[in-house]
Amino acid sequence: MTEEVAGTMTPPGAAGATPADGPAGKVAAAGADTPSSHEPAGTEPAGIEPHSTEPIGSAGGEPAGLSGAEPAGLPGEPAGLSGAEPAGLPGAEPVGLSGVEPVGLPGSARVNGGQAARPQLIRALNEQLLLSHIRQLGPCSRAELARLSGLSKPTVSLALVNVERSGLVRIAGQRTGVPGRSARLYEVRPEAGFVLGLDIGLQFLRGALADLTGQIRAKASARARASSMAGRVTELIRLADALCADAGLDRAVITQTVIGSPGVYDPRRNAMALTGQLAGWGSPAVLAGLREAFGENLVVENDVDAAALAEQAHGHGREFASFAFVWIGTGIGMGLVLDGRLHRGVHGVAGEIAFMPISEGRGTDEGDARRRGALEASASASAVVRAARRAGMRGPVSARRVFTAAARGDERAAAVVAQEARLAAKAICSVITVVDPELVVLGGGIGQAPGFAAAVTAELRQLAPVLPEVRVSALGTDAVVAGCLAAGAELAWKQLTALLPSAPASDGSFSG
């Protein structure tokens, strides 16, 4: 029969952590064994594009708590993601095959500068389209897929035979209670792939394991006790093994692993750089050890960028095409989503607001500023503690205690909190004047403190030319892990669909 191709492919600009724009600029992908090379290695996961030149900033956005001995957040902080929360991208339409626009009538589709598309390419496009609909909508019948895609029922049937044979989809049952013949329903097979998301923080390690549908299979956290780089890698591997054991899986079956980490990837050194307070984490041996443990399908994502992806997938970011996720806790960082895509910048350091030259108040410290950036040294949790002590607060002082005291009317603590709000507002005002986001989301222990968003908003009214909406993230301490799972789900999906027998190979030929 004549091959036909639908003209309703999902546009490449769909919201979400897309394969084409997934973890890239601030990402270390497995297989980057030549530090001087800027080309992706042969074993690098599909869709990962390393940035080109050296990083010029630092994340410093530590997803842990407010003080050296406390987890993220303050009393009243919103709870984290529930164990049953999907890790994928609910509501975000899966992206089609960018760069290949099927047009014209059946049998006349043309791609790549007007050359006629081969039947195998048309079949591959049809299969990708149907898979996208099934993944987005859940169980679908052949009739529904034909209506959604614009393909004929025979073409849909042939495509479904191939994707079902690949193991990516399965028959979910039959629709009953409607007139006529009961229709068989197709859905993504959960066990077709697994994603592991890990968060390496200064004080805590967190992780979760999800199947291809986004269902959480295991979730755990542990206090970070190791003081050495090698010890931290070992702790992270131990946490991953515990998650796999809880899910009844071997780590070898994991399709994609994404680790949220402070810092950015430096391709010259083949290592993370500017990793804030994580001593030794910038050593090339760190990535070497992680690659050895987790294999070629490993991506290391900047932690605050991962939290921004989680906000886009599960939080307030679902309502807005462009927003800034500002994390203020033991460190400071920002994830910037523009037109539905995470923006990384040429060098991968977009959002490294820790290095904004904003420094004032009692909490600042010149030595700390040289290590972590001027803003982070003046406005992070450690700066809040320094300011409180210099203001005369005694006893065990933590950022949590300072905010609690301020809420109770302590004038010294209130002055420290007011200064913190001014610093945050100045940084956000700078962001507003450059990118003009629709929304600013505050995360991290300080960012989510009761009343802090209102104080920042009041300062912004005095500073900013326009006032975007300011909201507090509701994702809690699991935001980084949730973002790693969301990014990992997109990478795993692209990896698995590339293995379809009719999928085009990297050299332009076809597999199978």
Side-chain angles (χ1 to χ4, degrees):
M1 63 180 288
T2 302
E3 293 290 345
E4 61 177 315
V5 61
T8 57
M9 290 290 290
T10 306
T18 67
D21 202 38
K26 296 185 186 178
V27 174
D33 296 324
T34 306
S36 61
S37 174
H38 295 173
E39 296 294 328
T43 56
E44 192 169 35
I48 305 302
E49 299 175 359
H51 56 274
S52 58
T53 54
E54 69 274 10
I56 57 174
S58 170
E62 165 59 38
L66 295 170
S67 65
E70 295 175 335
L74 294 158
E77 175 177 309
L81 301 175
S82 65
E85 185 165 3
L89 297 175
E93 190 169 351
V95 175
L97 299 177
S98 60
V100 182
E101 285 294 331
V103 293
L105 299 172
S108 64
R110 292 181 177 272
V111 296
N112 297 332
Q115 295 182 355
R118 291 178 292 177
Q120 285 176 302
L121 176 57
I122 296 175
R123 284 197 293 272
L125 292 174
N126 291 341
E127 290 164 8
Q128 296 279 357
L129 177 62
L130 296 179
L131 282 169
S132 294
H133 284 309
I134 294 170
R135 185 182 181 215
Q136 178 192 358
L137 301 174
C140 298
S141 68
R142 281 181 291 183
E144 288 169 332
L145 290 170
R147 184 172 64 254
L148 288 167
S149 65
L151 298 171
S152 67
K153 290 183 180 179
T155 298
V156 169
S157 296
L158 286 175
L160 286 174
V161 167
N162 191 39
V163 296
E164 187 180 357
R165 185 168 57 240
S166 74
L168 272 177
V169 301
R170 68 182 183 185
I171 296 174
Q174 292 185 316
R175 179 166 289 137
T176 58
V178 293
R181 294 177 57 188
S182 59
R184 287 200 288 184
L185 301 176
Y186 294 84
E187 67 178 3
V188 172
R189 190 170 70 87
E191 297 79 13
F194 295 95
V195 178
L196 181 63
L198 301 170
D199 172 18
I200 173 73
L202 180 64
Q203 299 149 20
F204 283 86
L205 306 175
R206 296 181 174 89
L209 192 154
D211 60 34
L212 197 59
T213 66
Q215 181 68 36
I216 300 292
R217 297 294 187 96
K219 184 178 177 181
S221 64
R223 183 173 287 277
R225 303 189 182 279
S227 57
S228 68
M229 171 273 300
R232 283 187 174 274
V233 171
T234 299
E235 285 184 336
L236 205 59
I237 295 170
R238 189 179 301 130
L239 177 62
D241 287 337
L243 289 167
C244 290
D246 287 348
L249 299 172
D250 188 278
R251 190 147 48 86
V253 306
I254 300 298
T255 310
Q256 182 70 53
T257 299
V258 179
I259 298 176
S261 165
V264 296
Y265 177 59
D266 181 355
R268 297 177 308 165
R269 298 172 53 247
N270 195 19
M272 299 301 290
L274 304 166
T275 54
Q277 300 178 81
L278 275 183
W281 201 245
S283 167
V286 170
L287 286 185
L290 292 175
R291 289 182 184 124
E292 182 179 357
F294 294 102
E296 63 182 30
N297 293 324
L298 166 70
V299 166
V300 177
E301 172 69 279
N302 174 266
D303 50 9
V304 182
D305 278 352
L309 291 175
E311 192 67 41
Q312 183 185 42
H314 307 299
H316 301 303
R318 288 177 294 183
E319 306 172 35
F320 298 85
S322 299
F323 68 93
F325 181 92
V326 179
W327 187 285
I328 310 174
T330 56
I332 291 179
M334 181 182 71
L336 187 60
V337 174
L338 299 178
D339 295 328
R341 293 181 181 274
L342 184 67
H343 181 70
R344 301 178 184 280
V346 174
H347 304 92
V349 297
E352 301 308 318
I353 61 173
F355 280 82
M356 280 185 171
I358 300 174
S359 178
E360 62 182 65
R362 289 182 169 183
T364 189
D365 180 89
E366 291 186 5
D368 204 20
R370 285 192 294 271
R371 292 187 298 270
R372 303 168 58 190
L375 180 61
E376 186 164 300
S378 298
S380 62
S382 58
V384 169
V385 171
R386 280 195 297 264
R389 285 176 174 159
R390 291 168 182 172
M393 289 187 70
R394 297 290 178 262
V397 180
S398 67
R400 185 194 301 270
R401 185 182 171 218
V402 173
F403 274 78
T404 301
R408 292 174 179 169
D410 186 307
E411 293 184 359
R412 296 169 302 180
V416 172
V417 171
Q419 178 65 51
E420 179 74 8
R422 279 193 294 274
L423 284 166
K426 287 184 176 183
I428 293 170
C429 180
S430 299
V431 175
I432 291 171
T433 58
V434 174
V435 297
D436 191 15
E438 300 173 84
L439 170 73
V440 174
V441 180
L442 296 179
I446 292 176
Q448 293 173 286
F452 187 70
V456 171
T457 303
E459 293 288 341
L460 280 173
R461 286 196 180 96
Q462 306 300 318
L463 297 172
V466 295
L467 186 63
E469 190 166 351
V470 178
R471 298 185 186 178
V472 178
S473 175
L475 299 183
T477 57
D478 287 330
V480 175
V481 170
C484 289
L485 291 176
E490 294 303 312
L491 293 170
W493 184 257
K494 183 168 185 179
Q495 183 186 151
L496 292 167
T497 54
L499 298 176
L500 287 170
S502 59
S506 59
D507 61 357
S509 62
F510 284 78
S511 59

